[in-house]
Amino acid sequence: MRENNYTWCEAIIIALGSRGSASNMDDIYNQIVQDRLYVPKNENGTPQRTIASTISVSINNDGNNSPFKKFTTGIYELSNIGKQKYKELTSNEYVSNYNNIHNELEG
């Protein structure tokens, strides 16, 4: 997996996929930190609020196309689209392609 270079949305998808179950913001954030998926850069508020906002905006704007779905109040899980995106983000081919592009850009 590529470390520290995921967007918040990608990091949340991977964290939820890794956990394999519906989770609250603290559990999602702890998984992100444990797996070193995202390093915040001077963001206001708390990471848990950023996670909650990212999920809520996706559900509100993308509807059935969101990678997330609400399980119950404050608890979220991956939708079928999210599960597919998780597979794409964690596939060796995706990671290898990303690393090749990233290395070329750093040149």
Side-chain angles (χ1 to χ4, degrees):
M1 247 183 264
R2 57 184 170 137
E3 184 178 308
N4 300 335
N5 294 304
Y6 292 100
T7 66
W8 268 116
C9 188
E10 291 171 333
I12 296 165
I13 290 168
I14 294 169
L16 280 170
S18 295
R19 293 186 56 74
S21 62
S23 302
N24 65 36
M25 300 310 124
D26 288 331
D27 291 338
I28 295 168
Y29 178 67
N30 289 337
Q31 189 71 46
I32 289 170
V33 170
Q34 178 183 319
D35 293 344
R36 297 185 304 259
L37 299 172
Y38 186 86
V39 176
K41 300 172 191 91
N42 300 325
E43 296 187 29
N44 296 329
T46 65
Q48 290 86 342
R49 286 186 187 154
T50 301
I51 291 166
S53 175
T54 300
I55 292 171
S56 293
V57 167
S58 175
I59 290 171
N60 291 334
N61 291 347
D62 303 330
N64 291 334
N65 292 319
S66 173
F68 312 109
K69 66 180 182 179
K70 186 175 186 173
F71 183 75
T72 189
T73 304
I75 309 289
Y76 297 90
E77 61 186 350
L78 291 178
S79 66
N80 288 334
I81 290 171
K83 290 174 185 174
Q84 181 59 41
K85 185 69 175 170
Y86 170 74
K87 289 178 186 176
E88 292 171 12
L89 287 169
T90 57
S91 75
N92 289 333
E93 181 179 337
Y94 179 88
V95 173
S96 177
N97 286 339
Y98 171 82
N99 287 334
N100 290 338
I101 292 167
H102 186 71
N103 290 338
E104 287 177 20
L105 291 175
E106 286 186 341

